[in-house]
Amino acid sequence: MARREEHAWAPPVLQGDRLEAGLRMLELEVRRRLDGLLQGNHLGLVPGPGSEPGEARPYQPGDDVRRMDWAVTARTTVPHIRDTVADRELETWVVADLSASLDFGSAVCEKRDLVVCAVAAIAHLTGGGGNRIGALISNGETTKRIPARGGLAHARGLVKTVAQTPRAPEGTRGDLAEAIEQLRRPPRRRGLAVVISDFLGEQDWQHPLRALSQRHDLIGVEIVDPRDIDLPEVGTVVLSDPETGKQREVHASPLLRREFAAAAREHRDEVAAGLRRAGAAHLVLRTDSDWIADMVRFVVARKRRWSGAVR
């Protein structure tokens, strides 16, 4: 793994005796680089358009057809959608996948570090104004539920709990679909649901995610490491599946590397398509990229889209 000190944008170390200092550094960095996004009209910044009905306006390409106002459309014979007004209080729920496949990183950090960073950013972007945030944290062996509450102390405690979640024993398979299902039942008040995972393995999470979208605005945060999408040119390499414990020694020939890259690309395309079918916004965070810059681009694009600046 590359040295974190060589990259100013790398997440701080969030393990062992450096955990407390790392969490403080993370909070300061999130506030410094994301606070500017909270200025001005924040309608739809991360929470989405809200659920209270607003005014109707003519449909434009790119609008969500689920907001079509059929009564106005029938009366005017012109397609209209119903804009919505941001809720005064937002309840956000985060599903944090910390299964064994995220206990890995070949760049400047492990994938699980980016899960913690993403939770910290979401907590900051949705905090204040009576908003609440809760979480379901699953490492495959256990699932911990943190009730939705407001306040800075609660948000800090939530991020710390995610960071301190123990690693599951080798061979423990994660169950993202079950974690999403636990969030869906019992039904909660309408709000924002954020699912953070590398989405590797079976895609049985798609059905519960689509069901969740019927009540909540969705964001899917995909955590990616370079070794998830290509094999290094290093000759013989041992491939290991941390969620089954199986290992296999292979020769990283040019043909195998091409086939691996093609399979990885196909899988990521399927993940993107699954999130799109569920109506979820898709954010990709990589262990070899400036994660806050990627978050900024995502939030700015989302803010502009909901405010009507981009169609």
Side-chain angles (χ1 to χ4, degrees), residues 123-266:
H124 179 63
L125 287 169
T126 62
N131 295 345
R132 297 179 295 276
I133 184 169
L136 284 169
I137 309 166
S138 175
N139 66 0
E141 183 181 38
T142 61
T143 299
K144 182 177 180 62
R145 180 188 300 270
I146 300 178
R149 295 193 179 96
L152 180 58
H154 170 73
R156 286 172 171 168
L158 187 151
V159 174
K160 184 175 181 179
T161 300
V162 175
Q164 290 181 319
T165 298
R167 300 169 189 262
E170 184 176 349
T172 302
R173 184 177 294 278
D175 193 343
L176 180 59
E178 174 61 24
I180 297 174
E181 189 66 22
Q182 288 189 36
L183 176 58
R184 192 171 74 89
R185 297 178 183 277
R188 306 176 187 283
R189 62 173 295 179
R190 295 183 184 276
L192 173 67
V194 183
V195 179
I196 309 172
S197 174
D198 56 9
F199 295 100
L200 295 180
E202 298 295 328
Q203 299 192 34
D204 52 355
W205 48 265
Q206 293 194 30
H207 176 71
L209 192 66
R210 287 197 297 270
L212 192 64
S213 71
Q214 296 176 9
R215 190 169 182 83
H216 302 282
D217 191 25
L218 290 179
I219 297 177
V221 183
E222 183 183 9
I223 309 298
V224 177
D225 185 84
R227 295 290 81 85
D228 291 336
I229 54 182
D230 66 69
L231 286 176
E233 191 175 359
V234 294
T236 301
V237 61
V238 177
L239 300 181
S240 175
D241 182 350
E243 296 196 8
T244 63
K246 295 182 179 179
Q247 294 185 342
R248 183 176 180 181
E249 184 177 288
V250 300
H251 178 66
S253 65
L255 175 60
L256 178 63
R257 294 176 65 227
R258 286 195 300 270
E259 291 178 342
F260 182 92
R265 185 166 52 250
E266 180 181 1

Side-chain angles (χ1 to χ4, degrees), residues 57-65 67-68 79-81 308-311:
R57 62 170 175 79
Y59 171 85
Q60 297 183 36
D63 287 334
D64 188 347
V65 296
R67 295 192 287 134
M68 190 73 72
H80 277 67
I81 67 166
V310 174
R311 295 293 179 191

